[in-house]
Amino acid sequence: MGKKGKAAARERREQRRQEVTLLRAVPYEPGQRWWDGLAPERAVAVVTGANRGIGYEISRQLAHHGLHVVLASRDAARCQEAAERLLREAAAAGDASVYVEWRQLDVTDAASVEAFAAWTARTHGGIHILVNNAGVNFNRGADNSVQFADQVIETNYFGTKRMIEAMMPLFKPCPYGGRIVNVSSRLGRADGRRNRIGDASLREQLLSDDRLSEELIDGMVMKFLEQVKQDTWSSIEWPQMYTDYSVSKLAVNAYTRFVARRLLDRPEGQKIYINCFCPGWVKTAMTGWEGNISAEEGADTAVWLALLPQEQSTIGKFFAERREMNF
């Protein structure tokens, strides 16, 4: 892309950014607030990786919309501090409607996930919304190290998968449907204009609903990790930028579509809508504060997907700035 093309792309992004800012300022009409229809019960939303950054901001926005939000994080002390900060901010603003609590959760630890699910069932009887935000990325700037590939894949992909499998049985019957929102990235697009995987056959399989399977997705990430271990991986075959992170998000995108197929035939009252989204390049600790948008802006599409009225809800789609994107 030449200088003019890049400038035009920047202009389009900025225009859409301004459009979404205006949309975010529009309050939900009473008829759109499906979660109010559950009264006197509050809709329960679980947000992973919620002690800072996008996860914290998603939690804050959902809480201010009137949901009961469970902030979950591996670091218990920071998670507790985040929940208490939200409550202090609400009290200072005179908002007594904010309900949040915290719970320690390590998505890379099966026992921790199992204990969290059991606590959720025991304490709340189930959930209405799950936002899988927990994730890691160890690369910065032009770096493309795969030194921590195991940890990146285990957290971003297998952690997300582990949470979905553990929490899906806990979704409460609801006439408005449950919501699963997976935080992903444009870097994980199988057929994007840049950073896509080089293996055309694998790309075709990942993009084909008929050929997509859990075994295919797991096999892809295990093949990548094995090549990393043997130092035989190549940026020609795999994404060229932030390769381990991109592969993990490619797997998240594919798994979102795979789970969506499993959920399509659920009867009314037991519907669950699962989608993924890219928050953009956000100014958070994960990006070394080098992003170009705020955490508030980055969280917007997640909150929008979580709160969409049922008649507007989609399943198995990928979004950015409230717009559907191809995989």
Side-chain angles (χ1 to χ4, degrees), residues 182-190 212 217 248-258 276-277 316 318 327:
N182 295 329
V183 180
S184 191
S185 173
R186 291 179 178 88
L187 294 174
R189 295 169 69 190
L212 184 63
I217 304 167
S248 75
K249 294 304 186 179
L250 171 64
V252 167
N253 288 348
Y255 192 69
T256 300
R257 289 174 43 234
F258 170 73
C276 53
F277 84 104
F318 181 40
F327 283 93

PDB file of all heavy atoms in Angstrom, residues 182-190 212 217 248-258 276-277 316 318 327:
ATOM      1  N   ASN A 182     -15.683 -13.142  22.555  1.00  0.00           N
ATOM      2  CA  ASN A 182     -14.256 -13.471  22.613  1.00  0.00           C
ATOM      3  C   ASN A 182     -13.431 -12.308  22.082  1.00  0.00           C
ATOM      4  O   ASN A 182     -13.635 -11.864  20.943  1.00  0.00           O
ATOM      5  CB  ASN A 182     -13.968 -14.725  21.776  1.00  0.00           C
ATOM      6  CG  ASN A 182     -14.650 -15.955  22.337  1.00  0.00           C
ATOM      7  OD1 ASN A 182     -14.842 -16.083  23.535  1.00  0.00           O
ATOM      8  ND2 ASN A 182     -15.030 -16.871  21.446  1.00  0.00           N
ATOM      9  N   VAL A 183     -12.509 -11.827  22.902  1.00  0.00           N
ATOM     10  CA  VAL A 183     -11.618 -10.757  22.448  1.00  0.00           C
ATOM     11  C   VAL A 183     -10.558 -11.367  21.554  1.00  0.00           C
ATOM     12  O   VAL A 183      -9.821 -12.268  21.956  1.00  0.00           O
ATOM     13  CB  VAL A 183     -10.966 -10.036  23.638  1.00  0.00           C
ATOM     14  CG1 VAL A 183     -10.037  -8.929  23.139  1.00  0.00           C
ATOM     15  CG2 VAL A 183     -12.027  -9.459  24.564  1.00  0.00           C
ATOM     16  N   SER A 184     -10.479 -10.882  20.321  1.00  0.00           N
ATOM     17  CA  SER A 184      -9.543 -11.439  19.358  1.00  0.00           C
ATOM     18  C   SER A 184      -8.746 -10.317  18.698  1.00  0.00           C
ATOM     19  O   SER A 184      -8.485  -9.289  19.323  1.00  0.00           O
ATOM     20  CB  SER A 184     -10.298 -12.289  18.324  1.00  0.00           C
ATOM     21  OG  SER A 184      -9.386 -13.028  17.537  1.00  0.00           O
ATOM     22  N   SER A 185      -8.395 -10.498  17.437  1.00  0.00           N
ATOM     23  CA  SER A 185      -7.555  -9.502  16.764  1.00  0.00           C
ATOM     24  C   SER A 185      -7.627  -9.669  15.257  1.00  0.00           C
ATOM     25  O   SER A 185      -7.763 -10.786  14.744  1.00  0.00           O
ATOM     26  CB  SER A 185      -6.098  -9.646  17.217  1.00  0.00           C
ATOM     27  OG  SER A 185      -5.241  -8.809  16.460  1.00  0.00           O
ATOM     28  N   ARG A 186      -7.511  -8.549  14.556  1.00  0.00           N
ATOM     29  CA  ARG A 186      -7.383  -8.607  13.097  1.00  0.00           C
ATOM     30  C   ARG A 186      -6.132  -9.383  12.691  1.00  0.00           C
ATOM     31  O   ARG A 186      -6.058  -9.932  11.585  1.00  0.00           O
ATOM     32  CB  ARG A 186      -7.287  -7.193  12.518  1.00  0.00           C
ATOM     33  CG  ARG A 186      -8.548  -6.352  12.592  1.00  0.00           C
ATOM     34  CD  ARG A 186      -8.252  -4.982  11.996  1.00  0.00           C
ATOM     35  NE  ARG A 186      -9.382  -4.089  11.948  1.00  0.00           N
ATOM     36  CZ  ARG A 186      -9.742  -3.264  12.930  1.00  0.00           C
ATOM     37  NH1 ARG A 186      -9.034  -3.246  14.061  1.00  0.00           N
ATOM     38  NH2 ARG A 186     -10.776  -2.456  12.805  1.00  0.00           N
ATOM     39  N   LEU A 187      -5.132  -9.420  13.568  1.00  0.00           N
ATOM     40  CA  LEU A 187      -3.907 -10.160  13.266  1.00  0.00           C
ATOM     41  C   LEU A 187      -4.176 -11.653  13.112  1.00  0.00           C
ATOM     42  O   LEU A 187      -3.345 -12.385  12.586  1.00  0.00           O
ATOM     43  CB  LEU A 187      -2.865  -9.933  14.358  1.00  0.00           C
ATOM     44  CG  LEU A 187      -2.311  -8.510  14.483  1.00  0.00           C
ATOM     45  CD1 LEU A 187      -1.405  -8.406  15.695  1.00  0.00           C
ATOM     46  CD2 LEU A 187      -1.564  -8.119  13.226  1.00  0.00           C
ATOM     47  N   GLY A 188      -5.340 -12.105  13.590  1.00  0.00           N
ATOM     48  CA  GLY A 188      -5.689 -13.510  13.498  1.00  0.00           C
ATOM     49  C   GLY A 188      -6.607 -13.840  12.337  1.00  0.00           C
ATOM     50  O   GLY A 188      -7.214 -14.917  12.324  1.00  0.00           O
ATOM     51  N   ARG A 189      -6.714 -12.968  11.371  1.00  0.00           N
ATOM     52  CA  ARG A 189      -7.553 -13.262  10.208  1.00  0.00           C
ATOM     53  C   ARG A 189      -6.828 -14.244   9.292  1.00  0.00           C
ATOM     54  O   ARG A 189      -5.662 -14.043   8.940  1.00  0.00           O
ATOM     55  CB  ARG A 189      -7.895 -11.984   9.458  1.00  0.00           C
ATOM     56  CG  ARG A 189      -8.745 -11.023  10.268  1.00  0.00           C
ATOM     57  CD  ARG A 189      -8.838  -9.669   9.615  1.00  0.00           C
ATOM     58  NE  ARG A 189      -9.622  -9.725   8.391  1.00  0.00           N
ATOM     59  CZ  ARG A 189      -9.700  -8.725   7.511  1.00  0.00           C
ATOM     60  NH1 ARG A 189      -9.004  -7.616   7.727  1.00  0.00           N
ATOM     61  NH2 ARG A 189     -10.427  -8.832   6.443  1.00  0.00           N
ATOM     62  N   ALA A 190      -7.523 -15.295   8.892  1.00  0.00           N
ATOM     63  CA  ALA A 190      -6.906 -16.324   8.049  1.00  0.00           C
ATOM     64  C   ALA A 190      -6.623 -15.805   6.652  1.00  0.00           C
ATOM     65  O   ALA A 190      -5.667 -16.236   6.002  1.00  0.00           O
ATOM     66  CB  ALA A 190      -7.821 -17.554   7.966  1.00  0.00           C
ATOM     67  N   LEU A 212     -14.210 -27.223   8.956  1.00  0.00           N
ATOM     68  CA  LEU A 212     -13.715 -26.714  10.239  1.00  0.00           C
ATOM     69  C   LEU A 212     -14.070 -27.683  11.364  1.00  0.00           C
ATOM     70  O   LEU A 212     -15.209 -28.125  11.478  1.00  0.00           O
ATOM     71  CB  LEU A 212     -14.330 -25.350  10.523  1.00  0.00           C
ATOM     72  CG  LEU A 212     -13.834 -24.631  11.789  1.00  0.00           C
ATOM     73  CD1 LEU A 212     -12.350 -24.320  11.696  1.00  0.00           C
ATOM     74  CD2 LEU A 212     -14.645 -23.344  12.010  1.00  0.00           C
ATOM     75  N   ILE A 217      -8.340 -27.180  14.426  1.00  0.00           N
ATOM     76  CA  ILE A 217      -7.818 -25.999  15.117  1.00  0.00           C
ATOM     77  C   ILE A 217      -6.727 -26.392  16.109  1.00  0.00           C
ATOM     78  O   ILE A 217      -5.643 -25.791  16.137  1.00  0.00           O
ATOM     79  CB  ILE A 217      -8.954 -25.254  15.842  1.00  0.00           C
ATOM     80  CG1 ILE A 217     -10.065 -24.896  14.861  1.00  0.00           C
ATOM     81  CG2 ILE A 217      -8.406 -23.979  16.494  1.00  0.00           C
ATOM     82  CD1 ILE A 217     -11.347 -24.440  15.523  1.00  0.00           C
ATOM     83  N   SER A 248      -2.523 -17.586  17.926  1.00  0.00           N
ATOM     84  CA  SER A 248      -3.478 -17.810  19.021  1.00  0.00           C
ATOM     85  C   SER A 248      -4.827 -17.172  18.710  1.00  0.00           C
ATOM     86  O   SER A 248      -5.881 -17.756  19.000  1.00  0.00           O
ATOM     87  CB  SER A 248      -2.915 -17.245  20.335  1.00  0.00           C
ATOM     88  OG  SER A 248      -2.967 -15.834  20.392  1.00  0.00           O
ATOM     89  N   LYS A 249      -4.824 -15.996  18.105  1.00  0.00           N
ATOM     90  CA  LYS A 249      -6.076 -15.318  17.794  1.00  0.00           C
ATOM     91  C   LYS A 249      -6.736 -15.915  16.540  1.00  0.00           C
ATOM     92  O   LYS A 249      -7.975 -15.901  16.430  1.00  0.00           O
ATOM     93  CB  LYS A 249      -5.833 -13.822  17.613  1.00  0.00           C
ATOM     94  CG  LYS A 249      -5.403 -13.120  18.901  1.00  0.00           C
ATOM     95  CD  LYS A 249      -6.401 -13.338  20.038  1.00  0.00           C
ATOM     96  CE  LYS A 249      -6.057 -12.528  21.274  1.00  0.00           C
ATOM     97  NZ  LYS A 249      -7.030 -12.718  22.378  1.00  0.00           N
ATOM     98  N   LEU A 250      -5.942 -16.427  15.633  1.00  0.00           N
ATOM     99  CA  LEU A 250      -6.493 -17.184  14.506  1.00  0.00           C
ATOM    100  C   LEU A 250      -7.285 -18.376  15.036  1.00  0.00           C
ATOM    101  O   LEU A 250      -8.394 -18.676  14.569  1.00  0.00           O
ATOM    102  CB  LEU A 250      -5.361 -17.648  13.594  1.00  0.00           C
ATOM    103  CG  LEU A 250      -5.711 -18.632  12.474  1.00  0.00           C
ATOM    104  CD1 LEU A 250      -6.673 -18.002  11.479  1.00  0.00           C
ATOM    105  CD2 LEU A 250      -4.441 -19.094  11.763  1.00  0.00           C
ATOM    106  N   ALA A 251      -6.731 -19.050  16.037  1.00  0.00           N
ATOM    107  CA  ALA A 251      -7.408 -20.191  16.645  1.00  0.00           C
ATOM    108  C   ALA A 251      -8.681 -19.753  17.367  1.00  0.00           C
ATOM    109  O   ALA A 251      -9.711 -20.439  17.299  1.00  0.00           O
ATOM    110  CB  ALA A 251      -6.462 -20.905  17.610  1.00  0.00           C
ATOM    111  N   VAL A 252      -8.635 -18.613  18.061  1.00  0.00           N
ATOM    112  CA  VAL A 252      -9.830 -18.095  18.741  1.00  0.00           C
ATOM    113  C   VAL A 252     -10.933 -17.797  17.732  1.00  0.00           C
ATOM    114  O   VAL A 252     -12.115 -18.136  17.941  1.00  0.00           O
ATOM    115  CB  VAL A 252      -9.489 -16.828  19.554  1.00  0.00           C
ATOM    116  CG1 VAL A 252     -10.769 -16.107  20.004  1.00  0.00           C
ATOM    117  CG2 VAL A 252      -8.633 -17.180  20.755  1.00  0.00           C
ATOM    118  N   ASN A 253     -10.578 -17.158  16.629  1.00  0.00           N
ATOM    119  CA  ASN A 253     -11.569 -16.843  15.598  1.00  0.00           C
ATOM    120  C   ASN A 253     -12.208 -18.110  15.052  1.00  0.00           C
ATOM    121  O   ASN A 253     -13.430 -18.192  14.894  1.00  0.00           O
ATOM    122  CB  ASN A 253     -10.905 -16.067  14.456  1.00  0.00           C
ATOM    123  CG  ASN A 253     -10.542 -14.648  14.844  1.00  0.00           C
ATOM    124  OD1 ASN A 253     -10.967 -14.151  15.884  1.00  0.00           O
ATOM    125  ND2 ASN A 253      -9.752 -13.999  14.014  1.00  0.00           N
ATOM    126  N   ALA A 254     -11.375 -19.089  14.735  1.00  0.00           N
ATOM    127  CA  ALA A 254     -11.885 -20.341  14.177  1.00  0.00           C
ATOM    128  C   ALA A 254     -12.756 -21.081  15.194  1.00  0.00           C
ATOM    129  O   ALA A 254     -13.811 -21.625  14.854  1.00  0.00           O
ATOM    130  CB  ALA A 254     -10.727 -21.219  13.715  1.00  0.00           C
ATOM    131  N   TYR A 255     -12.319 -21.083  16.453  1.00  0.00           N
ATOM    132  CA  TYR A 255     -13.081 -21.786  17.484  1.00  0.00           C
ATOM    133  C   TYR A 255     -14.422 -21.095  17.732  1.00  0.00           C
ATOM    134  O   TYR A 255     -15.423 -21.754  18.032  1.00  0.00           O
ATOM    135  CB  TYR A 255     -12.274 -21.857  18.776  1.00  0.00           C
ATOM    136  CG  TYR A 255     -12.865 -22.812  19.786  1.00  0.00           C
ATOM    137  CD1 TYR A 255     -12.845 -24.191  19.566  1.00  0.00           C
ATOM    138  CD2 TYR A 255     -13.462 -22.347  20.954  1.00  0.00           C
ATOM    139  CE1 TYR A 255     -13.390 -25.074  20.478  1.00  0.00           C
ATOM    140  CE2 TYR A 255     -14.007 -23.224  21.876  1.00  0.00           C
ATOM    141  CZ  TYR A 255     -13.972 -24.587  21.628  1.00  0.00           C
ATOM    142  OH  TYR A 255     -14.533 -25.455  22.536  1.00  0.00           O
ATOM    143  N   THR A 256     -14.466 -19.781  17.604  1.00  0.00           N
ATOM    144  CA  THR A 256     -15.734 -19.055  17.725  1.00  0.00           C
ATOM    145  C   THR A 256     -16.730 -19.558  16.696  1.00  0.00           C
ATOM    146  O   THR A 256     -17.897 -19.813  17.006  1.00  0.00           O
ATOM    147  CB  THR A 256     -15.499 -17.545  17.544  1.00  0.00           C
ATOM    148  OG1 THR A 256     -14.593 -17.071  18.556  1.00  0.00           O
ATOM    149  CG2 THR A 256     -16.808 -16.775  17.640  1.00  0.00           C
ATOM    150  N   ARG A 257     -16.274 -19.713  15.456  1.00  0.00           N
ATOM    151  CA  ARG A 257     -17.155 -20.214  14.397  1.00  0.00           C
ATOM    152  C   ARG A 257     -17.549 -21.656  14.646  1.00  0.00           C
ATOM    153  O   ARG A 257     -18.696 -22.059  14.406  1.00  0.00           O
ATOM    154  CB  ARG A 257     -16.473 -20.078  13.041  1.00  0.00           C
ATOM    155  CG  ARG A 257     -16.372 -18.632  12.571  1.00  0.00           C
ATOM    156  CD  ARG A 257     -15.568 -18.495  11.288  1.00  0.00           C
ATOM    157  NE  ARG A 257     -15.887 -19.517  10.319  1.00  0.00           N
ATOM    158  CZ  ARG A 257     -14.980 -20.322   9.751  1.00  0.00           C
ATOM    159  NH1 ARG A 257     -13.702 -20.210  10.078  1.00  0.00           N
ATOM    160  NH2 ARG A 257     -15.355 -21.219   8.864  1.00  0.00           N
ATOM    161  N   PHE A 258     -16.606 -22.460  15.140  1.00  0.00           N
ATOM    162  CA  PHE A 258     -16.899 -23.868  15.412  1.00  0.00           C
ATOM    163  C   PHE A 258     -17.972 -23.998  16.491  1.00  0.00           C
ATOM    164  O   PHE A 258     -18.934 -24.760  16.340  1.00  0.00           O
ATOM    165  CB  PHE A 258     -15.620 -24.590  15.843  1.00  0.00           C
ATOM    166  CG  PHE A 258     -15.855 -25.977  16.375  1.00  0.00           C
ATOM    167  CD1 PHE A 258     -16.189 -27.014  15.511  1.00  0.00           C
ATOM    168  CD2 PHE A 258     -15.774 -26.230  17.736  1.00  0.00           C
ATOM    169  CE1 PHE A 258     -16.431 -28.290  16.004  1.00  0.00           C
ATOM    170  CE2 PHE A 258     -16.008 -27.503  18.237  1.00  0.00           C
ATOM    171  CZ  PHE A 258     -16.342 -28.538  17.365  1.00  0.00           C
ATOM    172  N   CYS A 276     -16.785 -12.919  18.092  1.00  0.00           N
ATOM    173  CA  CYS A 276     -15.471 -12.412  18.482  1.00  0.00           C
ATOM    174  C   CYS A 276     -15.277 -11.027  17.876  1.00  0.00           C
ATOM    175  O   CYS A 276     -15.993 -10.625  16.960  1.00  0.00           O
ATOM    176  CB  CYS A 276     -14.357 -13.368  18.054  1.00  0.00           C
ATOM    177  SG  CYS A 276     -14.356 -13.824  16.307  1.00  0.00           S
ATOM    178  N   PHE A 277     -14.297 -10.307  18.402  1.00  0.00           N
ATOM    179  CA  PHE A 277     -14.080  -8.952  17.906  1.00  0.00           C
ATOM    180  C   PHE A 277     -12.638  -8.531  18.107  1.00  0.00           C
ATOM    181  O   PHE A 277     -11.917  -9.087  18.948  1.00  0.00           O
ATOM    182  CB  PHE A 277     -15.025  -7.961  18.595  1.00  0.00           C
ATOM    183  CG  PHE A 277     -14.527  -7.454  19.915  1.00  0.00           C
ATOM    184  CD1 PHE A 277     -13.997  -6.177  20.028  1.00  0.00           C
ATOM    185  CD2 PHE A 277     -14.569  -8.257  21.051  1.00  0.00           C
ATOM    186  CE1 PHE A 277     -13.525  -5.704  21.245  1.00  0.00           C
ATOM    187  CE2 PHE A 277     -14.103  -7.792  22.269  1.00  0.00           C
ATOM    188  CZ  PHE A 277     -13.584  -6.515  22.367  1.00  0.00           C
ATOM    189  N   GLY A 316     -21.369 -16.457  15.571  1.00  0.00           N
ATOM    190  CA  GLY A 316     -20.219 -16.920  14.809  1.00  0.00           C
ATOM    191  C   GLY A 316     -19.630 -15.882  13.876  1.00  0.00           C
ATOM    192  O   GLY A 316     -19.048 -16.230  12.843  1.00  0.00           O
ATOM    193  N   PHE A 318     -17.323 -12.034  13.238  1.00  0.00           N
ATOM    194  CA  PHE A 318     -16.140 -11.308  13.679  1.00  0.00           C
ATOM    195  C   PHE A 318     -16.389  -9.821  13.451  1.00  0.00           C
ATOM    196  O   PHE A 318     -16.841  -9.425  12.372  1.00  0.00           O
ATOM    197  CB  PHE A 318     -14.930 -11.795  12.886  1.00  0.00           C
ATOM    198  CG  PHE A 318     -13.622 -11.147  13.251  1.00  0.00           C
ATOM    199  CD1 PHE A 318     -13.300 -10.868  14.560  1.00  0.00           C
ATOM    200  CD2 PHE A 318     -12.693 -10.834  12.269  1.00  0.00           C
ATOM    201  CE1 PHE A 318     -12.083 -10.290  14.900  1.00  0.00           C
ATOM    202  CE2 PHE A 318     -11.475 -10.255  12.588  1.00  0.00           C
ATOM    203  CZ  PHE A 318     -11.174  -9.982  13.906  1.00  0.00           C
ATOM    204  N   PHE A 327     -13.294 -13.265   8.051  1.00  0.00           N
ATOM    205  CA  PHE A 327     -12.293 -13.987   8.809  1.00  0.00           C
ATOM    206  C   PHE A 327     -10.990 -14.151   8.025  1.00  0.00           C
ATOM    207  O   PHE A 327     -10.047 -14.740   8.502  1.00  0.00           O
ATOM    208  CB  PHE A 327     -12.831 -15.363   9.216  1.00  0.00           C
ATOM    209  CG  PHE A 327     -13.801 -15.305  10.369  1.00  0.00           C
ATOM    210  CD1 PHE A 327     -15.162 -15.213  10.137  1.00  0.00           C
ATOM    211  CD2 PHE A 327     -13.352 -15.341  11.671  1.00  0.00           C
ATOM    212  CE1 PHE A 327     -16.065 -15.166  11.193  1.00  0.00           C
ATOM    213  CE2 PHE A 327     -14.246 -15.292  12.732  1.00  0.00           C
ATOM    214  CZ  PHE A 327     -15.608 -15.201  12.489  1.00  0.00           C
TER     215      PHE A 327
END
